[in-house]
Amino acid sequence: MLDKIKEFASTFFVTGDPMIYGADVSIALAMIGIVFVLTYFKKWGWLWKNWLTTVDHKKVGIMYILAAILMLFRGGVDALLMRLQLATPDVTLLHPEHYNQIFTTHGTIMILFMAMPLMFGLFNIAVPLQIGARDVAFPFLNALSFWLFFMGAMLFNLSFVIGGSPDAGWLSYPPLSELQFSPGVGQNFYIWGIQISGIGSLATGINFIVTIIKMRAPGMTWMKMPVFTWSVFSSCVIIIFAFPILTVTLALLFLDRFGGGHFFTLDFGGNPMMYINLIWMWGHPEVYIVVIPAFGIYSEVISVFSKKKLFGYKSMVYAMFMIAILSFFTWAHHFFTMGSGADVNAFFAISTMVIAIPTGVKVFNWLFTMYRGKITFKTPMMWAIAFIPNFLIAGLTGVMLSVAPADFQFHNSYFLVAHFHSALIGGVVFGYLAGLYYWWPKMFGFTLPETPGKWAFWFWNIGFYVCFIPQYSLGLMGMTRRLSTYGWDTGWQPLNLVSTVGAFLMGIGFLFQVLQILLGIKNFRKLKDTTGDPWGGHTLEWSIPSPAPEYNFATIPQVEERDDWWAEKDKRAKGIFRKQPPIEAIHMPKNSAIPFIMSVFFFIAGFGFVFGWSIFYIPGLIGVAICMICRSFFSYDGDYYIPADEVKRTEAAIRGSV
Amino acid sequence: MAQAAAHHSHDHDHGHHDPQELKMLGFWIFLVTDVILFSTLFATFVVLRNSTAGGPGGAELFNMTGVIIETFLLLTSSFTSGLAVLAMNKGSMKGLINWLIVTAILGLGFIGFEVYEFVELVHEGANFGTSAFLSAFFTLVGTHGLHVSLGLVWMIGLMFQLKKRGLTPETKGKVSALSLYWHFLDAVWIFLLTVVYLMGVM
């Protein structure tokens, strides 16, 4: 009996590596620590009432951002381990199998559990405030989306200590990811972690499209909408067309592994190449899903910190939509070497190159916005400016990669690795960090201290070039991706060492950001944003106090101009004040425990499917169904009113302190 | 434009948007995502329809009599769900419930025939793992069947809610969404019938 338990434990828990024991211990300590602190300070009720059951879009946004920063740390540690392993030849820090797990989890986490939630966090914080709304269209669904993402991410991360991590690459190409070649549970963790969080992403896409179409303040026509909101709209349109494809693709892979299907197997007529087509039909649009909102942030930040209106607003909007549409006609550039023939390759090469046109339009718009502007170099602006040369490199190498014949040389090399990291760090991460600094006061009521922020910026930015520029050369020198070690005779050692140093510089940059947040919290009284508009903003979110009150706007604004709040400030300076409508009772959604509980059941079901244990997945699925039925039956009284007097008192209290 | 804006602000005082309007738009967009989901499955099926790996193909397997009956049941149920909405719009709770019951029975009949068809296929040795073609077939048709089954659970749940709450804007909104969903499944079935069955036996 004891032997059996021992045997089970040794297959259930991942063993054999000191790093993993370290992780076990730190996870256990962190859990005990959290439970202790919550109990000691009697914060369980607070946690439950204010956070776990909240449907307030601002709080949901903050939870997204917190989780995303944690995942950035996890994915970043993976990256540093890989760079350590590759610093010089013949390093034996990670054995090949472990190395495979680490590059797989690094890619998956950074795209799906870091970039996506950070983006959704900023959507949640900014969009309703920018369009003058009190909430998103479906607050309950919004909370559910967050919890599904969170449970999916936790399920995925669990694989590190239980069962074993996936190791077939971040897109899990079959036949490698099929049962025959990946018999462990790692791939199942991959499938269910992404599947569960993917449902949440799809729901978020629907939610924000409806929010933006239907809930704009009166007078805000489409062409008066803030450009970040436009970018969110474009991104969500891509989400609703791309994410169902991912759902199906992962479901089919699961059916192969779990139900003995033959969609992507090598035998019985299966077609592995079909998976690769399907996954990139989602995967390439996914790149634009994450980068377009970053473009929106750059547009906001650059115009605010240049004290100018955005140059070419309309062309910016059209360019974003062009990119959104074209993103669906580029997927095959990921496998020009598939052998699909010259015509197909030419089509996808051209459609890929065409994307450079709207992107170029945008870059010129940003430059013209800065031209003759009064630029202030606050942290958000620094990130936005640094993005432009970075993205130029990413864009140019992207066009190089899109040339099908040349791609036969670049395919799967470090040149490609350098290109997409340029695009995704220089384009996406820089943008979200700019957005995070920009909207931080609106979230928490204080601005972050500038000095550590600038240190962080320089470490990140220099580290970024030091890390990835050598990789372009390494790619041309023949180094391929997913390589766990190499010999001295290759001549790759010096550049790899430089690249590793760069990665660590970025790591130090991250530490400075943590320090910056801690210093910000420590000195928050000094850094308090009493104006509600610390940057001289243009859009509606800066017209209300920081942090935004629960109901956002005491009275719904009447929009007249494109940069309405800016125009309004001008008028006020001239002594013209708008007549404020009287404050009335405000209609708000009630908190609900169902999103959290339902996601826990999703987690249980997912965990059951990972191990094929029906004692988990059957109750899990039943739990999900019961939650859905409960929601349907209780959905009739999901709201309440904040009385007008209370709104007046709150407004007086916040505005009074100005 | 000014008029439209005035009208807008009049409708939405308190910043309170008509929740039914939001939900209907959200549901339409959800259906768009479902269209993409089915399109992906159709594409997969079309790619794999000849990959029978030496096993049986559609021409040998499909029992068209059953399929025609299924089609008849589902199309009729789509019609009766429309009648249910008409009854609702006339304010007749009894008509609404009765037509929903008829719709549910027709839907159940459809599911019954489909399950019977699947069981027959498995008995003939044509199961999910026999070939890529059959994996794709069972997944595509099964996903539609699963949608119909979920629709049935929804319909039954909604009948209880209607009994308890009567005809309110909320329950009316739910019936409209359900009816939309049901018509959508009907449209998907037409494509299934064409691409899977008719083209399969041709």
Side-chain angles (χ1 to χ4, degrees):
Chain A
M1 185 63 194
L2 195 66
D3 282 341
K4 270 198 175 158
I5 293 173
K6 263 190 188 162
E7 194 195 319
F8 170 75
S10 71
T11 51
F12 186 69
F13 294 105
V14 180
T15 51
D17 196 307
M19 253 186 276
I20 286 168
Y21 292 127
D24 286 334
V25 172
S26 57
I27 290 171
L29 285 179
M31 296 256 240
I32 294 168
I34 291 168
V35 170
F36 177 77
V37 168
L38 285 172
T39 314
Y40 188 80
F41 292 101
K42 301 200 174 65
K43 288 287 186 193
W44 286 103
W46 166 84
L47 181 71
W48 179 257
K49 264 214 305 253
N50 283 322
W51 296 96
L52 299 187
T53 60
T54 189
V55 292
D56 180 351
H57 67 94
K58 298 175 289 292
K59 286 182 175 169
V60 169
I62 288 170
M63 290 195 289
Y64 263 123
I65 289 169
L66 265 177
I69 291 174
L70 277 180
M71 289 293 104
L72 176 64
F73 174 74
R74 156 92 214 257
V77 171
D78 281 347
L80 294 184
L81 285 173
M82 276 188 283
R83 282 317 315 168
L84 272 182
Q85 170 70 22
L86 293 175
T88 58
D90 305 328
V91 177
T92 51
L93 175 72
L94 306 168
H95 54 85
E97 194 191 344
H98 195 182
Y99 186 86
N100 290 350
Q101 292 177 351
I102 283 182
F103 73 63
T104 301
T105 51
H106 167 75
T108 313
I109 284 174
M110 285 304 203
I111 296 283
L112 289 155
F113 301 126
M114 189 281 285
M116 290 292 278
L118 197 46
M119 173 179 98
F120 289 148
L122 295 171
F123 283 16
N124 268 291
I125 299 294
V127 170
L129 298 180
Q130 280 202 327
I131 61 173
R134 294 233 163 91
D135 214 321
V136 293
F138 312 114
F140 174 92
L141 188 66
N142 196 30
L144 180 62
S145 297
F146 167 74
W147 286 111
L148 286 175
F149 144 70
F150 186 78
M151 292 300 166
M154 290 304 111
L155 186 64
F156 185 83
N157 276 280
L158 199 62
S159 67
F160 189 59
V161 289
I162 289 177
S165 292
D167 57 2
W170 85 276
L171 285 179
S172 275
Y173 282 5
L176 183 57
S177 57
E178 288 282 359
L179 208 52
Q180 191 184 354
F181 302 105
S182 291
V185 294
Q187 283 313 311
N188 301 342
F189 272 115
Y190 173 92
I191 291 169
W192 285 98
I194 295 178
Q195 195 71 293
I196 290 171
S197 67
I199 301 167
S201 305
L202 192 55
T204 306
I206 297 174
N207 209 339
F208 277 85
I209 290 180
V210 177
T211 306
I212 294 169
I213 293 180
K214 287 282 181 188
M215 296 179 72
R216 282 170 288 141
M220 185 181 278
T221 56
W222 284 101
M223 282 299 161
K224 283 181 187 159
M225 207 160 80
V227 73
F228 176 70
T229 301
W230 258 117
S231 73
V232 172
F233 188 71
S234 323
S235 173
C236 287
V237 168
I238 316 180
I239 288 178
I240 63 159
F241 285 102
F243 265 77
I245 308 177
L246 175 71
T247 307
V248 171
T249 312
L250 292 175
L252 298 183
L253 184 62
F254 175 70
L255 286 173
D256 271 5
R257 293 177 58 87
F258 186 81
H262 292 288
F263 291 101
F264 313 122
T265 53
L266 290 174
D267 48 3
F268 294 97
N271 188 342
M273 213 53 226
M274 189 171 65
Y275 178 94
I276 296 167
N277 273 290
L278 287 174
I279 199 93
W280 280 115
M281 277 183 212
W282 159 77
H284 203 81
E286 165 70 13
V287 177
Y288 293 99
I289 290 171
V290 291
V291 84
I292 288 179
F295 291 166
I297 293 169
Y298 296 125
S299 306
E300 298 280 351
V301 167
I302 286 177
S303 80
V304 166
F305 289 89
S306 305
K307 295 205 174 14
K308 275 179 69 185
K309 285 197 171 183
L310 183 68
F311 183 91
Y313 169 92
K314 280 192 181 174
S315 63
M316 210 63 147
V317 170
Y318 294 135
M320 274 184 316
F321 251 84
M322 269 283 278
I323 296 174
I325 293 164
L326 287 171
S327 72
F328 282 94
F329 297 96
T330 59
W331 82 85
H333 75 216
H334 290 269
F335 37 86
F336 280 141
T337 58
M338 173 172 76
S340 45
D343 292 340
V344 172
N345 280 1
F347 174 82
F348 283 97
I350 291 166
S351 57
T352 303
M353 290 174 205
V354 167
I355 288 193
I357 298 168
T359 316
V361 168
K362 299 170 81 65
V363 171
F364 281 108
N365 281 342
W366 290 315
L367 293 176
F368 286 132
T369 304
M370 285 190 274
Y371 179 66
R372 293 199 163 167
K374 288 193 197 103
I375 300 179
T376 38
F377 290 94
K378 295 277 186 183
T379 25
M381 185 60 168
M382 309 234 336
W383 288 95
I385 294 177
F387 147 80
I388 292 174
N390 285 344
F391 210 68
L392 193 68
I393 298 172
L396 289 177
T397 51
V399 174
M400 285 168 77
L401 281 159
S402 74
V403 180
D407 188 67
F408 275 67
Q409 183 62 30
F410 303 136
H411 191 81
N412 272 350
S413 74
Y414 256 73
F415 188 87
L416 165 84
V417 173
H419 160 71
F420 71 70
H421 280 92
S422 297
L424 287 169
I425 297 178
V428 176
V429 176
F430 280 25
Y432 294 171
L433 289 177
L436 200 55
Y437 287 118
Y438 181 63
W439 282 304
W440 187 276
K442 202 40 74 187
M443 285 186 253
F444 298 106
F446 64 94
T447 45
L448 283 169
E450 285 283 316
T451 314
K454 289 198 170 144
W455 279 94
F457 168 80
W458 287 111
F459 268 105
W460 261 99
N461 203 49
I462 294 171
F464 170 80
Y465 286 107
V466 174
C467 183
F468 295 109
I469 295 294
Q471 293 185 8
Y472 285 113
S473 303
L474 283 168
L476 297 178
M477 288 158 78
M479 183 164 161
T480 60
R481 71 202 291 205
R482 301 177 183 136
L483 202 69
S484 73
T485 191
Y486 52 92
W488 285 99
D489 53 342
T490 53
W492 301 338
Q493 191 267 343
L495 287 175
N496 267 307
L497 188 62
V498 172
S499 181
T500 302
V501 170
F504 275 85
L505 291 178
M506 283 193 276
I508 295 170
F510 179 77
L511 292 181
F512 268 105
Q513 287 176 310
V514 175
L515 178 74
Q516 184 188 13
I517 292 173
L518 293 178
L519 284 175
I521 294 169
K522 195 171 154 242
N523 301 321
F524 85 96
R525 272 175 233 281
K526 221 167 65 194
L527 297 161
K528 204 162 173 347
D529 170 30
T530 50
T531 59
D533 184 14
W535 317 117
H538 297 177
T539 41
L540 288 176
E541 74 265 39
W542 304 110
S543 68
I544 54 171
S546 300
E550 197 189 347
Y551 45 79
N552 297 354
F553 296 88
T555 55
I556 294 296
Q558 176 79 37
V559 176
E560 283 158 14
E561 304 279 333
R562 183 175 293 156
D563 290 313
D564 193 67
W565 172 237
W566 206 24
E568 172 83 15
K569 282 190 285 187
D570 261 3
K571 282 185 198 151
R572 286 188 189 179
K574 288 177 195 147
I576 310 165
F577 285 89
R578 243 179 236 177
K579 202 173 147 261
Q580 290 292 333
I583 289 176
E584 292 173 54
I586 292 174
H587 179 246
M588 297 291 290
K590 272 186 200 163
N591 280 5
S592 171
I594 295 177
F596 178 75
I597 295 171
M598 188 163 152
S599 312
V600 170
F601 279 120
F602 260 107
F603 180 90
I604 294 168
F607 187 78
F609 280 122
V610 166
F611 285 92
W613 291 344
S614 55
I615 53 156
F616 278 92
Y617 66 72
I618 291 172
L621 290 177
I622 291 172
V624 169
I626 289 173
C627 285
M628 287 173 89
I629 291 166
C630 282
R631 164 65 185 167
S632 182
F633 275 85
F634 298 143
S635 65
Y636 296 90
D637 49 357
D639 42 24
Y640 70 103
Y641 280 88
I642 305 180
D645 286 344
E646 199 186 318
V647 177
K648 280 180 198 156
R649 265 198 312 264
T650 316
E651 283 293 304
I654 332 175
R655 305 257 182 201
S657 70
V658 171
Chain B
M1 193 61 239
Q3 202 183 0
H7 178 73
H8 186 78
S9 63
H10 176 72
D11 272 350
H12 302 303
D13 47 352
H14 313 293
H16 178 174
H17 301 260
D18 175 16
Q20 293 319 311
E21 201 186 308
L22 293 182
K23 280 180 190 160
M24 264 338 252
L25 179 63
F27 198 76
W28 271 104
I29 299 173
F30 162 74
L31 285 183
V32 170
T33 66
D34 230 17
V35 167
I36 308 288
L37 185 138
F38 276 108
S39 314
T40 314
L41 287 172
F42 270 105
T44 309
F45 177 82
V46 170
V47 169
L48 296 176
R49 53 183 288 211
N50 295 323
S51 304
T52 53
E60 299 140 67
L61 288 172
F62 297 145
N63 165 14
M64 286 313 282
T65 325
V67 175
I68 301 294
I69 295 171
E70 278 173 38
T71 309
F72 177 73
L73 289 172
L74 199 67
L75 261 59
T76 314
S77 80
S78 193
F79 179 65
T80 56
S81 82
L83 292 177
V85 173
L86 281 181
M88 179 181 79
N89 289 342
K90 278 189 196 148
S92 156
M93 174 64 107
K94 203 176 150 220
L96 169 59
I97 296 276
N98 285 343
W99 282 121
L100 282 182
I101 291 172
V102 174
T103 309
I105 290 170
L106 291 167
L108 265 175
F110 170 84
I111 293 293
F113 268 96
E114 189 159 273
V115 170
Y116 173 75
E117 186 198 358
F118 279 10
V119 171
E120 282 289 291
L121 285 176
V122 172
H123 272 299
E124 288 167 28
N127 53 45
F128 183 73
T130 307
S131 67
F133 156 69
L134 281 165
S135 300
F137 165 79
F138 279 110
T139 306
L140 175 57
V141 180
T143 304
H144 177 267
L146 193 66
H147 272 73
V148 175
S149 311
L150 287 176
L152 286 171
V153 174
W154 184 8
M155 204 177 285
I156 292 162
L158 202 49
M159 283 191 250
F160 282 109
Q161 291 186 31
L162 282 166
K163 276 276 173 212
K164 198 174 156 215
R165 306 248 169 199
L167 285 177
T168 66
E170 283 93 354
T171 50
K172 278 185 173 176
K174 288 185 184 192
V175 173
S176 309
L178 175 69
S179 153
L180 198 58
Y181 179 76
W182 205 255
H183 291 316
F184 161 74
L185 291 182
D186 200 48
V188 173
W189 179 257
I190 305 288
F191 282 94
L192 269 174
L193 176 72
T194 316
V195 175
V196 178
Y197 292 103
L198 296 181
M199 285 166 74
V201 295
M202 237 159 46

